Amino acid sequence: MERQIRRVGIALIALFLAVFVQLNYVQIFAASDIANNGANSRALIKKYSVKRGSIVTIDEVEIARSVATRGKYKYKRTYPEGELFAHITGYLPFAGEATGVEAAFNDDLSGEGGTLSMQDLQDRLLGSGERGDDVMLSIDSRLQEIARDSLGENTGAIVALDPTTGEIRAMYSNPSFDPNPLASFNTGTAEDYYQTLDPDSGTSPLVAVATRRTFPPGSTFKVLTASAALESGRFQPDSTFPDPNELELPLTNQTLTNYSNTACTGSGQIDLFTALRISCDTTFGIIGLRVPDDIREMAGRMGFNESLPLEIGTAVSRFPNIPDDEEPLRAYAGIGQGEVAATTLQMALIAAAVANGGDVPVPRLLHRIIDASAGTVSEPEPETMGEAMSAQNANDVKRMMVAVVESGTGTNARIEGIEVAGKTGTAQSAEGANPHAWFIAFAPANDPQLVVAVFVQNGGSFGAEATGGLVAAPMAKALLEADRRLRDW
Amino acid sequence: MPASRRRNTELSLLILALIVGCGALALVAVARNTDRLAKVIPFMIVLVVGYVAAHLVMRRFAREADPLILPLAALLNTVGLAVVYRLSPKEFGPTQVSWSVVGLVFFVATLLLVRDFKMLARFKYILGFTGLGLLLLPVPFGTTVNGAKLWIQFAGLSFQPGELAKICLVIFFAAYLAERKELLAIASKKVLAFHVPDIKHFGPLLVMWGVSLAVMFYEKDLGSSLLFFSIFLVMLYIATARFVYMAFGFVLFFIGAYIGHQVFSHVQLRVRIWLDVFNPELIGGESYQMAQSLFALATGGLFGTGFGQGRPDIIPAAETDFVFAALGEELGLMGTVAILMIFMLVIARGLRIAVRSRDDFGQLLAMGLTVTIGVQTFIILGGVTRLLPLTGITLPFVSYGGSSLVSNFILIALLLRVSHQGAVEPDPARTAEILIGGRG
């Protein structure tokens, strides 16, 4: 029987070798493929076993925090302020990719970034639970609330930032959404709520108007056109332009008319300063035709045609490269119409460049990162995207913008006791639709503390009567006044 | 009595095995909570005392038995206990310690009661019918757990009669085959190119096939069905040297399994899970357990996450059928291959015991017991690694469960008894062969 015993032995060894090979396959060769399967909850359990850092505003309001649970997922992410900061914090979905600050500072919040402190090491060895770093944003919750209240039911966005540091102090988009259900451990709840937000549509509340949607900026863009005109060296604030009833466009029999459908001054001539103050379309149409390359370059320096270096990313604002055979479009580009489209944040940066003596600040949300366990703090240095124009030219544009608020189209933004610089925009959108209302502003003009950009889609509740001065300027004023109170300037 | 060298080897290995096992237990306790260390020290003491006691009994009553089997079993048992304790420190962990002690008591009792394994041959029909009865007991009286009817509830206790049945049946087969092997091996007919024994000798084979099908169809337990039938076929082959029996038997089994697949939806589902485990439609429900097993093994990788650092508790039934996957997550390929090698060593020792046994019954018995451990281990390891469709069955000595532990301790006690007798008894057959110059 020994021969049979030996054969059975060989057969058993063969069976075990098969298991050995299969183990190598499962645990080594195919291991990462298998382990990365979405249904493997180990990564999720690990993700939720860390007490993720809080996201707080500069005035120390917690806008995202991890709350201990009793389930197998140890910490649940909640957003105490609901929809108010949703587009900024983003959300941490149970299964899927995080968005907003949750994604941008994930390494810090989850404790994976930065240095390993003794406390971290001790936590890890004793398994007493790791803790992520807190992220403090430059957003001021009080200003954010005023932005929300100012917009009310209107679809639109308000961005307020400090022009010298680029720190964003308020950024609210309406419509918004509640990030809490999206962070639910119950994927059914999350999915049901997600579907009510019409996620595949470009107008979904998930898409922040301030940073993710672009619209024709209309006359607010004239600030950029005026800056480019001065930087070209061909024009001064007192350079004069013809003031026709309508501007005849080259290559076609079309004309560009002013908002009033008449000449701007009636005196036959108009200077650049006055043209900006009263928002004269024909003048900027002429500039658009005369220095198209300077305008395009200026737009590039201010951040157009690429995503802005904001931590949470932005849509690309567009300034087209118009070929010679489509020359008429250059006139429209000069007044921020046609194919020009910008985010509200982009328009805030144009004002910031003027306020900041020509330097375009890098917009940022991060104020500091606080490693609670190590007691250290790291703070980013302010940066600029580069010099868009000379300080002299920036000062000239600023004077024009002050005149807009003092005696031009933006008088609704006047504030007692300080000089406010601003520019209105009433932008044509689709055929037959009500115009968009825009306003960009900063104050005080001599020492700018806050830049505000306001956008109200299709004029909001004002409908066809809407203008930037009527709808958007009072909102910008509310923000400026509030920030002046809060920071005592 | 002079201390045998084999027993000294056994003691040294046993100490090593217990150091590794108790070390694993200490690690899982500390990994969960430093305070837990004090709670597992009594467990360690109980295990050390239990195994040393078993060793001392062997010194007296199985002096020349194989020195590796008991230490290997101790290693599997204690490392398995560490995994079970890690998964369930309050419930299954302490219970498994108790069952280990009960298992050791049965081990000692078997060694003491069965002083000569040959006496078992006298009870072969009683054992055969007991085995069949135990095997088929769940058909009328069983309760269904996880789709299979394996359990008997009696007086608040539940046990899996199949675990004990396999030992009874192995003894019966060994005795029956040892008695009739010449008769069964005679080929009187020729079918195609094969010499085939008379049809009447296929009787026992057909009976066992029927029983295994009954187990498969009525208890819905493919794993046990495959195990019993393959033990029988392998033993039949060893006894008769007729490969055709085994081939014919496996063909019959696969016909039965194919019919089972066509007739029973749960068999179809098992096959579907095996082939398509990551199908999103199944992964949340039907194939959840299988997928979790693979996730655990894959997460473990080469070195594992370390004891207490993984999440093997996500796998349903991690402490019983899927204990190997739980171990693979925290100890990695290093751990799983180590376990695989320990089982291969047990099998190698079993084969050696069989070869060294002096008579047919002893050889068949040792082989039957060895094949039982080997095939059972293969079925469950193949199942949790997705080499085979999964069939729920325990991993000997490692899985949580009293029926399984007790039966396997009895199994190795019998194996050691055969080993001891093979070493100490004279070999009449071999002496005779030398005298007449027969072949070896």
Side-chain angles (χ1 to χ4, degrees), chain A residues 12 18-19 26 33 50 69 72 95 99 116 121 182 212 236 238 249 301 322 326 334 375 380 389 406 470 485 488:
Chain A
L12 284 172
V19 174
V26 172
D33 279 355
V50 174
T69 68
K72 71 174 171 178
T99 62
L116 191 69
L121 211 60
L182 295 175
R212 294 286 177 184
Q236 302 298 320
D238 56 1
L249 296 175
R301 289 203 291 276
I322 301 163
E326 290 178 27
M389 65 188 120
E406 268 177 6
L470 188 64
R485 264 199 318 277
D488 194 26

Side-chain angles (χ1 to χ4, degrees), chain A residues 1 4 22 27 42 45, chain B residues 238 311 329 336 363 385:
Chain A
M1 286 197 289
Q4 290 95 288
Q22 179 73 357
Q27 297 200 273
R42 281 170 182 75
I45 289 171
Chain B
I238 293 167
R311 290 304 302 256
E329 176 169 358
T336 52
Q363 288 204 328
T385 57

Side-chain angles (χ1 to χ4, degrees), chain A residues 1-43 45-46 49 71-74 124-127 130, chain B residues 181 234 237-241 278 283 288 292 294-302 311-312 314-315 324 328-329 332-333 336-337 340 343-344 347 351 354-355 359-360 363-364 367 370-371 374-375 377-378 381-382 385-387 430:
Chain A
M1 286 197 289
E2 275 179 39
R3 207 176 57 164
Q4 290 95 288
I5 291 172
R6 203 171 303 121
R7 284 185 178 170
V8 169
I10 291 167
L12 284 172
I13 287 167
L15 295 182
F16 274 64
L17 273 179
V19 174
F20 175 75
V21 170
Q22 179 73 357
L23 274 172
N24 275 277
Y25 172 74
V26 172
Q27 297 200 273
I28 307 290
F29 296 106
S32 57
D33 279 355
I34 295 171
N36 290 337
N37 189 298
N40 183 4
S41 55
R42 281 170 182 75
I45 289 171
K46 195 166 168 10
S49 70
K72 71 174 171 178
Y73 303 109
K74 278 165 70 186
R124 220 166 273 186
L125 284 174
L126 295 180
E130 293 166 52
Chain B
K181 65 175 209 170
V234 170
Y237 165 71
I238 293 167
T240 62
F278 296 121
I283 205 159
Y288 179 81
Q292 291 304 326
L294 295 174
F295 291 156
L297 288 167
T299 305
L302 183 56
R311 290 304 302 256
I314 303 172
I315 318 165
F324 190 67
E329 176 169 358
L333 186 70
T336 52
V337 170
L340 207 59
F343 276 110
M344 285 176 87
I347 289 162
L351 294 171
V355 170
D359 66 7
D360 290 345
Q363 288 204 328
L364 283 166
M367 274 312 283
T370 305
V371 169
V375 172
T377 303
F378 173 71
L381 296 195
T385 57
R386 200 179 159 227
L387 185 64
R430 198 155 290 182

Side-chain angles (χ1 to χ4, degrees), chain B residues 12-181:
Chain B
S12 326
L13 291 174
L14 195 56
I15 289 168
L16 266 176
L18 289 170
I19 287 172
V20 172
C22 292
L25 196 56
L27 269 177
V28 295
V30 173
R32 289 188 70 103
N33 194 334
T34 35
D35 306 339
R36 281 251 163 79
L37 191 55
K39 290 184 184 161
V40 295
I41 287 173
F43 296 161
M44 295 179 188
I45 293 169
V46 165
L47 288 167
V48 169
V49 169
Y51 275 103
V52 170
H55 164 76
L56 292 176
V57 170
M58 288 200 38
R59 272 189 184 265
R60 176 80 179 80
F61 296 99
R63 204 171 71 249
E64 295 301 328
D66 187 281
L68 260 67
I69 301 268
L70 186 65
L72 291 171
L75 193 54
L76 290 171
N77 176 217
T78 49
V79 171
L81 174 67
V83 178
V84 171
Y85 182 82
R86 179 251 174 278
L87 290 163
S88 174
K90 297 222 171 72
E91 191 188 351
F92 297 137
T95 317
Q96 181 79 337
V97 176
S98 312
W99 279 120
S100 300
V101 173
V102 174
L104 282 166
V105 168
F106 272 88
F107 174 84
V108 167
T110 306
L111 280 178
L112 294 179
L113 285 173
V114 185
R115 303 293 282 277
D116 178 0
F117 71 84
K118 291 187 202 82
M119 74 156 196
L120 292 170
R122 276 188 278 148
F123 305 112
K124 64 173 181 288
Y125 287 109
I126 294 172
L127 285 166
F129 282 114
T130 308
L132 267 184
L134 284 170
L135 195 55
L136 299 176
L137 199 58
V139 176
F141 301 112
T143 44
T144 303
V145 176
N146 297 331
K149 216 173 186 183
L150 306 175
W151 293 84
I152 295 290
Q153 307 267 359
F154 179 73
L157 287 167
S158 58
F159 73 106
Q160 274 180 293
E163 293 280 354
L164 207 57
K166 68 189 181 191
I167 295 174
C168 296
L169 287 171
V170 164
I171 299 169
F172 166 71
F173 292 155
Y176 180 85
L177 291 170
E179 203 174 271
R180 324 229 157 159
K181 65 175 209 170

Side-chain angles (χ1 to χ4, degrees), chain A residues 362-401:
Chain A
V362 169
R364 67 166 94 247
L365 286 162
L366 178 66
H367 184 62
R368 57 169 63 142
I369 289 168
I370 304 156
D371 182 345
S373 57
T376 57
V377 164
S378 69
E379 226 162 321
E381 291 292 317
E383 289 172 87
T384 82
M385 289 161 58
E387 193 190 73
M389 65 188 120
S390 69
Q392 176 59 48
N393 287 337
N395 194 53
D396 286 344
V397 176
K398 185 201 290 182
R399 296 321 310 166
M400 299 180 204
M401 288 174 72

